[in-house]
Amino acid sequence: MLVKESQSLTVAFIGGGNMAEAIIGGLCQDAQYRLVFSEPSIDRRSYMKEKYPSVDGYGSNDQVLQQQPHVVIFAVKPQIMKTVMLDLQPMLQQHQQLHGAIPLLISIAAGISTTSIQRWLQLGNALPLIRLMPNTPALIGEGAVGCFAVPNAVSADQRQLTESLLGVVCKQISWVDKEPLIDAVTAVSGSGPAYYFLVMEAMQNAGVEAGLSVEEAKALTLQTCLGAAKMAMESEDDLATLRRKVTSPKGTTEAALKVLEAGNIRQVMHDAVFAADERSRELAEEFGKE
Ligand SMILES: NC(=O)c1ccc[n+]([C@@H]2O[C@H](COP(=O)([O-])OP(=O)(O)OC[C@H]3O[C@@H](n4cnc5c(N)ncnc54)[C@H](OP(=O)(O)O)[C@@H]3O)[C@@H](O)[C@H]2O)c1
Protein backbone atom coordinates (compact mmCIF):
# COMPACT_ATOMS: atom_id res chain seq x y z
CA MET A 1 0.00 0.00 0.00
CA LEU A 2 2.02 2.97 -1.23
CA VAL A 3 0.89 6.52 -1.73
CA LYS A 4 1.63 8.94 -4.54
CA GLU A 5 4.71 11.12 -4.07
CA SER A 6 2.67 14.28 -3.41
CA GLN A 7 0.74 12.63 -0.53
CA SER A 8 2.17 12.25 2.92
CA LEU A 9 3.05 8.80 4.10
CA THR A 10 2.33 7.99 7.73
CA VAL A 11 5.04 6.06 9.52
CA ALA A 12 4.17 4.80 13.00
CA PHE A 13 6.71 3.73 15.59
CA ILE A 14 5.76 1.38 18.39
CA GLY A 15 8.18 2.50 21.10
CA GLY A 16 9.81 5.92 21.17
CA GLY A 17 13.24 4.90 22.48
CA ASN A 18 16.77 5.29 21.12
CA MET A 19 16.42 3.49 17.83
CA ALA A 20 13.03 5.05 17.04
CA GLU A 21 14.49 8.48 17.81
CA ALA A 22 17.44 7.92 15.49
CA ILE A 23 15.10 7.13 12.57
CA ILE A 24 12.61 9.87 13.51
CA GLY A 25 15.44 12.40 13.77
CA GLY A 26 16.53 11.56 10.23
CA LEU A 27 13.04 11.44 8.70
CA CYS A 28 11.38 14.42 10.38
CA GLN A 29 12.99 16.93 8.00
CA ASP A 30 11.30 15.23 5.05
CA ALA A 31 7.80 16.65 4.49
CA GLN A 32 6.61 13.54 2.66
CA TYR A 33 6.51 11.65 5.97
CA ARG A 34 4.00 12.12 8.77
CA LEU A 35 5.57 10.55 11.85
CA VAL A 36 3.76 9.22 14.91
CA PHE A 37 4.89 7.05 17.78
CA SER A 38 3.58 5.33 20.89
CA GLU A 39 5.50 5.49 24.13
CA PRO A 40 4.27 4.69 27.65
CA SER A 41 6.67 7.09 29.40
CA ILE A 42 5.26 10.63 29.72
CA ASP A 43 8.76 12.06 30.26
CA ARG A 44 9.99 10.45 27.09
CA ARG A 45 6.96 11.73 25.12
CA SER A 46 7.59 15.27 26.42
CA TYR A 47 11.25 15.05 25.49
CA MET A 48 10.34 13.91 21.97
CA LYS A 49 7.65 16.63 21.60
CA GLU A 50 10.17 19.30 22.52
CA LYS A 51 12.86 17.97 20.20
CA TYR A 52 10.63 16.99 17.25
CA PRO A 53 7.55 19.29 17.38
CA SER A 54 6.14 17.96 14.10
CA VAL A 55 6.03 14.38 15.39
CA ASP A 56 2.99 13.19 17.37
CA GLY A 57 3.49 10.96 20.39
CA TYR A 58 0.71 8.86 21.93
CA GLY A 59 0.45 6.95 25.20
CA SER A 60 -1.07 3.82 23.67
CA ASN A 61 -0.47 1.63 20.64
CA ASP A 62 -4.18 1.76 19.76
CA GLN A 63 -4.01 5.53 19.32
CA VAL A 64 -1.07 5.18 16.98
CA LEU A 65 -2.85 2.61 14.81
CA GLN A 66 -5.87 4.93 14.64
CA GLN A 67 -3.62 7.31 12.65
CA GLN A 68 -3.96 4.86 9.69
CA PRO A 69 -0.22 4.34 9.23
CA HIS A 70 1.18 3.02 5.94
CA VAL A 71 4.15 1.59 7.80
CA VAL A 72 4.45 0.37 11.40
CA ILE A 73 7.96 0.05 12.83
CA PHE A 74 8.29 -2.06 15.98
CA ALA A 75 11.07 -0.47 18.04
CA VAL A 76 10.51 -1.99 21.47
CA LYS A 77 12.79 -4.34 23.42
CA PRO A 78 12.60 -7.97 22.27
CA GLN A 79 11.22 -9.15 25.64
CA ILE A 80 8.02 -7.17 25.19
CA MET A 81 7.42 -7.85 21.49
CA LYS A 82 4.92 -10.62 22.25
CA THR A 83 2.86 -8.37 24.57
CA VAL A 84 2.85 -5.61 21.97
CA MET A 85 1.81 -7.98 19.18
CA LEU A 86 -1.04 -9.48 21.21
CA ASP A 87 -2.11 -5.94 22.12
CA LEU A 88 -2.16 -4.81 18.47
CA GLN A 89 -3.67 -7.97 17.00
CA PRO A 90 -7.37 -6.98 17.21
CA MET A 91 -6.72 -3.54 15.67
CA LEU A 92 -4.63 -4.92 12.85
CA GLN A 93 -7.28 -7.54 12.19
CA GLN A 94 -9.94 -4.83 12.06
CA HIS A 95 -7.74 -2.78 9.74
CA GLN A 96 -7.35 -5.80 7.47
CA GLN A 97 -11.11 -6.38 7.40
CA LEU A 98 -11.89 -2.70 6.67
CA HIS A 99 -9.15 -1.98 4.12
CA GLY A 100 -8.38 -5.45 2.80
CA ALA A 101 -4.70 -4.89 3.59
CA ILE A 102 -2.29 -4.46 6.47
CA PRO A 103 0.31 -1.68 6.77
CA LEU A 104 3.89 -2.68 6.03
CA LEU A 105 5.22 -4.11 9.32
CA ILE A 106 8.91 -3.65 10.13
CA SER A 107 10.50 -5.18 13.22
CA ILE A 108 13.90 -4.11 14.50
CA ALA A 109 13.68 -6.26 17.64
CA ALA A 110 16.81 -8.40 17.90
CA GLY A 111 16.20 -12.14 17.96
CA ILE A 112 12.45 -12.06 17.18
CA SER A 113 11.71 -14.22 14.13
CA THR A 114 9.04 -13.42 11.56
CA THR A 115 7.48 -16.83 12.39
CA SER A 116 6.97 -15.70 16.00
CA ILE A 117 5.42 -12.43 14.85
CA GLN A 118 3.10 -14.28 12.44
CA ARG A 119 2.11 -16.69 15.22
CA TRP A 120 1.35 -13.86 17.67
CA LEU A 121 -0.61 -11.77 15.15
CA GLN A 122 -2.61 -14.70 13.73
CA LEU A 123 -3.26 -12.83 10.50
CA GLY A 124 -1.90 -15.44 8.11
CA ASN A 125 1.55 -15.89 6.66
CA ALA A 126 1.13 -13.40 3.82
CA LEU A 127 1.63 -10.39 6.12
CA PRO A 128 3.89 -7.72 4.59
CA LEU A 129 6.58 -8.19 7.21
CA ILE A 130 10.24 -7.21 7.25
CA ARG A 131 12.77 -8.03 9.97
CA LEU A 132 15.83 -5.85 10.41
CA MET A 133 19.08 -6.10 12.30
CA PRO A 134 20.62 -2.63 12.60
CA ASN A 135 23.69 -1.74 14.67
CA THR A 136 24.39 1.04 17.16
CA PRO A 137 26.23 3.38 14.73
CA ALA A 138 22.72 3.85 13.26
CA LEU A 139 22.20 6.18 16.23
CA ILE A 140 24.61 8.63 14.54
CA GLY A 141 23.54 7.92 10.96
CA GLU A 142 26.41 5.51 10.24
CA GLY A 143 24.62 2.20 10.64
CA ALA A 144 24.83 -1.07 8.78
CA VAL A 145 21.65 -3.13 8.62
CA GLY A 146 20.65 -6.59 7.45
CA CYS A 147 17.05 -7.03 6.22
CA PHE A 148 14.85 -10.06 5.63
CA ALA A 149 11.48 -9.77 3.88
CA VAL A 150 8.91 -12.56 4.23
CA PRO A 151 8.94 -14.24 0.80
CA ASN A 152 6.05 -13.42 -1.56
CA ALA A 153 4.48 -11.06 0.99
CA VAL A 154 6.51 -7.86 0.53
CA SER A 155 6.37 -5.94 -2.76
CA ALA A 156 9.33 -4.37 -4.56
CA ASP A 157 7.84 -0.94 -3.70
CA GLN A 158 7.71 -1.86 -0.01
CA ARG A 159 11.35 -2.98 -0.08
CA GLN A 160 12.27 0.31 -1.72
CA LEU A 161 10.29 2.25 0.86
CA THR A 162 12.09 0.33 3.63
CA GLU A 163 15.43 1.31 2.09
CA SER A 164 14.38 4.98 1.96
CA LEU A 165 13.38 4.89 5.62
CA LEU A 166 16.56 3.10 6.67
CA GLY A 167 18.74 5.31 4.49
CA VAL A 168 18.53 8.11 7.06
CA VAL A 169 20.35 6.04 9.69
CA CYS A 170 22.24 3.36 7.76
CA LYS A 171 24.98 3.69 5.14
CA GLN A 172 24.95 -0.04 4.34
CA ILE A 173 21.69 -1.89 3.69
CA SER A 174 21.98 -5.62 2.90
CA TRP A 175 19.06 -7.96 2.09
CA VAL A 176 19.32 -11.64 3.01
CA ASP A 177 17.04 -14.17 1.34
CA LYS A 178 16.97 -16.66 4.23
CA GLU A 179 16.00 -15.57 7.73
CA PRO A 180 18.73 -17.57 9.58
CA LEU A 181 21.26 -15.31 7.82
CA ILE A 182 20.06 -12.53 10.12
CA ASP A 183 22.07 -14.37 12.82
CA ALA A 184 25.17 -14.02 10.63
CA VAL A 185 24.40 -10.31 10.14
CA THR A 186 24.07 -10.00 13.92
CA ALA A 187 27.45 -11.70 14.38
CA VAL A 188 29.24 -9.44 11.86
CA SER A 189 27.67 -5.98 11.91
CA GLY A 190 25.18 -6.16 14.81
CA SER A 191 27.75 -7.04 17.45
CA GLY A 192 30.69 -5.85 15.32
CA PRO A 193 31.03 -2.32 16.72
CA ALA A 194 32.03 -3.84 20.08
CA TYR A 195 34.81 -5.88 18.44
CA TYR A 196 36.31 -2.67 17.11
CA PHE A 197 35.85 -0.89 20.43
CA LEU A 198 37.88 -3.67 22.07
CA VAL A 199 40.62 -3.57 19.43
CA MET A 200 40.79 0.24 19.63
CA GLU A 201 40.90 0.11 23.43
CA ALA A 202 43.85 -2.30 23.25
CA MET A 203 45.62 -0.11 20.65
CA GLN A 204 45.09 3.01 22.73
CA ASN A 205 46.44 1.33 25.87
CA ALA A 206 49.51 0.05 23.99
CA GLY A 207 50.11 3.56 22.61
CA VAL A 208 50.02 4.96 26.14
CA GLU A 209 52.50 2.32 27.33
CA ALA A 210 54.72 3.30 24.42
CA GLY A 211 54.79 6.88 25.74
CA LEU A 212 51.85 8.75 24.15
CA SER A 213 49.31 10.64 26.24
CA VAL A 214 45.88 9.02 26.58
CA GLU A 215 44.37 11.77 24.40
CA GLU A 216 46.98 11.38 21.66
CA ALA A 217 46.80 7.61 21.69
CA LYS A 218 43.00 7.68 21.51
CA ALA A 219 42.82 10.28 18.73
CA LEU A 220 45.46 8.52 16.62
CA THR A 221 43.76 5.14 17.13
CA LEU A 222 40.28 6.37 16.21
CA GLN A 223 41.40 8.26 13.12
CA THR A 224 43.46 5.27 12.00
CA CYS A 225 40.44 2.98 12.30
CA LEU A 226 38.18 5.45 10.47
CA GLY A 227 40.81 6.17 7.81
CA ALA A 228 41.47 2.47 7.18
CA ALA A 229 37.73 1.78 6.79
CA LYS A 230 37.27 4.73 4.42
CA MET A 231 40.33 3.74 2.40
CA ALA A 232 39.04 0.17 2.09
CA MET A 233 35.64 1.47 0.96
CA GLU A 234 37.08 3.78 -1.66
CA SER A 235 39.73 1.42 -3.00
CA GLU A 236 39.31 -1.11 -5.79
CA ASP A 237 41.73 -3.41 -3.94
CA ASP A 238 40.47 -6.17 -1.67
CA LEU A 239 41.43 -6.11 2.02
CA ALA A 240 44.36 -8.54 1.66
CA THR A 241 45.88 -6.42 -1.14
CA LEU A 242 45.48 -3.24 0.87
CA ARG A 243 47.23 -4.89 3.81
CA ARG A 244 50.11 -6.12 1.61
CA LYS A 245 50.51 -2.64 0.09
CA VAL A 246 51.19 -1.06 3.49
CA THR A 247 53.50 -3.88 4.63
CA SER A 248 57.10 -3.26 3.49
CA PRO A 249 59.47 -6.21 3.83
CA LYS A 250 61.30 -6.08 7.15
CA GLY A 251 59.39 -2.89 8.07
CA THR A 252 57.47 -1.88 11.19
CA THR A 253 54.04 -3.02 9.92
CA GLU A 254 55.43 -6.44 9.03
CA ALA A 255 56.87 -6.77 12.54
CA ALA A 256 53.46 -5.99 14.06
CA LEU A 257 51.48 -8.23 11.69
CA LYS A 258 53.79 -11.17 12.47
CA VAL A 259 52.84 -10.84 16.12
CA LEU A 260 49.13 -10.63 15.27
CA GLU A 261 49.31 -13.72 13.02
CA ALA A 262 51.33 -15.64 15.64
CA GLY A 263 48.59 -14.78 18.13
CA ASN A 264 46.14 -16.39 15.70
CA ILE A 265 44.06 -13.26 15.20
CA ARG A 266 42.22 -14.80 12.22
CA GLN A 267 41.12 -17.83 14.26
CA VAL A 268 40.17 -15.62 17.22
CA MET A 269 37.96 -13.40 15.01
CA HIS A 270 36.45 -16.47 13.35
CA ASP A 271 35.57 -17.99 16.74
CA ALA A 272 34.18 -14.67 18.02
CA VAL A 273 31.86 -14.24 15.01
CA PHE A 274 30.66 -17.85 15.26
CA ALA A 275 30.05 -17.50 19.02
CA ALA A 276 27.84 -14.46 18.35
CA ASP A 277 26.04 -16.32 15.53
CA GLU A 278 25.29 -19.25 17.85
CA ARG A 279 24.17 -16.96 20.69
CA SER A 280 21.88 -15.09 18.30
CA ARG A 281 20.17 -18.40 17.39
CA GLU A 282 19.84 -19.36 21.07
CA LEU A 283 18.27 -15.98 21.92
CA ALA A 284 15.84 -16.29 19.00
CA GLU A 285 14.69 -19.64 20.42
CA GLU A 286 14.29 -18.15 23.90
CA PHE A 287 12.31 -15.08 22.74
CA GLY A 288 10.20 -17.08 20.28
CA LYS A 289 8.84 -19.46 22.93
CA GLU A 290 5.08 -19.34 23.53
N1 LIG B 1 19.88 0.53 20.03
C1 LIG B 1 20.44 -0.12 19.03
O1 LIG B 1 21.49 0.24 18.52
C2 LIG B 1 19.82 -1.36 18.45
C3 LIG B 1 20.54 -2.12 17.54
C4 LIG B 1 19.91 -3.24 16.98
C5 LIG B 1 18.62 -3.55 17.30
N2 LIG B 1 17.95 -2.79 18.21
C6 LIG B 1 16.60 -3.17 18.57
O2 LIG B 1 15.78 -2.05 18.57
C7 LIG B 1 14.76 -2.21 19.53
C8 LIG B 1 14.66 -0.94 20.34
O3 LIG B 1 15.93 -0.69 20.96
P1 LIG B 1 16.22 0.68 21.68
O4 LIG B 1 17.66 0.71 21.97
O5 LIG B 1 15.61 1.80 20.89
O6 LIG B 1 15.38 0.45 23.02
P2 LIG B 1 14.76 1.53 24.01
O7 LIG B 1 15.54 2.79 23.96
O8 LIG B 1 14.55 0.86 25.32
O9 LIG B 1 13.33 1.84 23.35
C9 LIG B 1 12.19 1.06 23.53
C10 LIG B 1 11.06 2.00 23.94
O10 LIG B 1 9.83 1.28 23.89
C11 LIG B 1 9.05 1.73 25.00
N3 LIG B 1 8.02 0.75 25.33
C12 LIG B 1 8.00 -0.17 26.34
N4 LIG B 1 6.85 -0.87 26.32
C13 LIG B 1 6.11 -0.40 25.29
C14 LIG B 1 4.84 -0.73 24.75
N5 LIG B 1 4.09 -1.70 25.27
N6 LIG B 1 4.40 -0.04 23.67
C15 LIG B 1 5.15 0.93 23.13
N7 LIG B 1 6.36 1.28 23.59
C16 LIG B 1 6.85 0.63 24.66
C17 LIG B 1 10.07 1.89 26.10
O11 LIG B 1 9.54 2.70 27.11
P3 LIG B 1 10.05 2.47 28.63
O12 LIG B 1 11.51 2.77 28.63
O13 LIG B 1 9.22 3.42 29.41
O14 LIG B 1 9.78 1.01 28.95
C18 LIG B 1 11.22 2.54 25.35
O15 LIG B 1 11.12 3.94 25.34
C19 LIG B 1 15.15 -3.41 20.39
O16 LIG B 1 14.29 -4.50 20.09
C20 LIG B 1 16.55 -3.75 19.98
O17 LIG B 1 16.75 -5.15 19.93
C21 LIG B 1 18.53 -1.70 18.79
Side-chain angles (χ1 to χ4, degrees), residues 263-285:
N264 237 341
I265 186 153
R266 290 172 198 271
Q267 189 64 45
V268 169
M269 186 52 79
H270 169 279
D271 293 351
V273 168
F274 274 76
D277 182 88
E278 192 181 327
R279 185 67 189 133
S280 178
R281 275 182 275 123
E282 283 170 7
L283 286 175
E285 265 176 48

Side-chain angles (χ1 to χ4, degrees), residues 143-195:
V145 60
C147 317
F148 170 74
V150 171
N152 306 319
V154 177
S155 68
D157 279 350
Q158 287 172 323
R159 278 177 184 248
Q160 210 184 345
L161 170 61
T162 304
E163 290 186 14
S164 303
L165 297 174
L166 289 176
V168 299
V169 287
C170 293
K171 294 269 171 73
Q172 174 61 37
I173 301 172
S174 298
W175 290 91
V176 296
D177 58 3
K178 291 187 181 66
E179 190 162 359
L181 287 174
I182 286 285
D183 297 313
V185 169
T186 305
V188 173
S189 55
S191 300
Y195 314 161

Side-chain angles (χ1 to χ4, degrees), residues 13-21 38-41 44 61 74-78 80-81 83-84 87 108-111 132-139 190:
F13 294 81
I14 304 296
N18 293 315
M19 200 42 103
E21 183 182 356
S38 63
E39 167 59 50
S41 154
R44 182 72 189 168
N61 296 329
F74 296 95
V76 293
K77 292 283 185 212
I80 60 159
M81 274 291 278
T83 312
V84 164
D87 181 32
I108 62 172
L132 308 178
M133 183 60 214
N135 63 6
T136 43
L139 300 173

Side-chain angles (χ1 to χ4, degrees), residues 63-257:
Q63 287 170 298
V64 154
L65 273 205
Q66 279 161 17
Q67 307 310 308
Q68 308 281 343
H70 301 90
V71 182
V72 180
I73 300 182
F74 296 95
V76 293
K77 292 283 185 212
Q79 306 85 281
I80 60 159
M81 274 291 278
K82 182 177 178 183
T83 312
V84 164
M85 290 295 162
L86 298 181
D87 181 32
L88 287 178
Q89 199 281 339
M91 282 208 77
L92 284 171
Q93 189 168 28
Q94 198 183 26
H95 193 287
Q96 190 180 40
Q97 282 160 359
L98 280 175
H99 305 281
I102 289 268
L104 173 62
L105 307 178
I106 299 179
S107 165
I108 62 172
I112 301 291
S113 70
T114 56
T115 314
S116 295
I117 294 174
Q118 286 165 337
R119 191 171 66 242
W120 295 329
L121 286 180
Q122 294 178 49
L123 294 169
N125 292 348
L127 278 178
L129 176 60
I130 291 178
R131 176 180 168 196
L132 308 178
M133 183 60 214
N135 63 6
T136 43
L139 300 173
I140 56 152
E142 292 286 341
V145 60
C147 317
F148 170 74
V150 171
N152 306 319
V154 177
S155 68
D157 279 350
Q158 287 172 323
R159 278 177 184 248
Q160 210 184 345
L161 170 61
T162 304
E163 290 186 14
S164 303
L165 297 174
L166 289 176
V168 299
V169 287
C170 293
K171 294 269 171 73
Q172 174 61 37
I173 301 172
S174 298
W175 290 91
V176 296
D177 58 3
K178 291 187 181 66
E179 190 162 359
L181 287 174
I182 286 285
D183 297 313
V185 169
T186 305
V188 173
S189 55
S191 300
Y195 314 161
Y196 286 100
F197 294 142
L198 175 63
V199 167
M200 289 189 289
E201 185 188 337
M203 261 177 94
Q204 176 187 319
N205 289 344
V208 171
E209 271 191 52
L212 297 171
S213 69
V214 172
E215 293 73 27
E216 283 166 341
K218 183 177 178 189
L220 290 168
T221 298
L222 298 193
Q223 183 52 44
T224 301
C225 192
L226 186 67
K230 278 198 165 175
M231 206 172 149
M233 279 176 153
E234 286 170 19
S235 173
E236 306 260 295
D237 292 333
D238 60 27
L239 293 169
T241 307
L242 281 171
R243 172 178 49 77
R244 277 193 292 271
K245 279 187 176 174
V246 293
T247 312
S248 323
K250 298 199 167 64
T252 56
T253 310
E254 187 187 71
L257 290 179

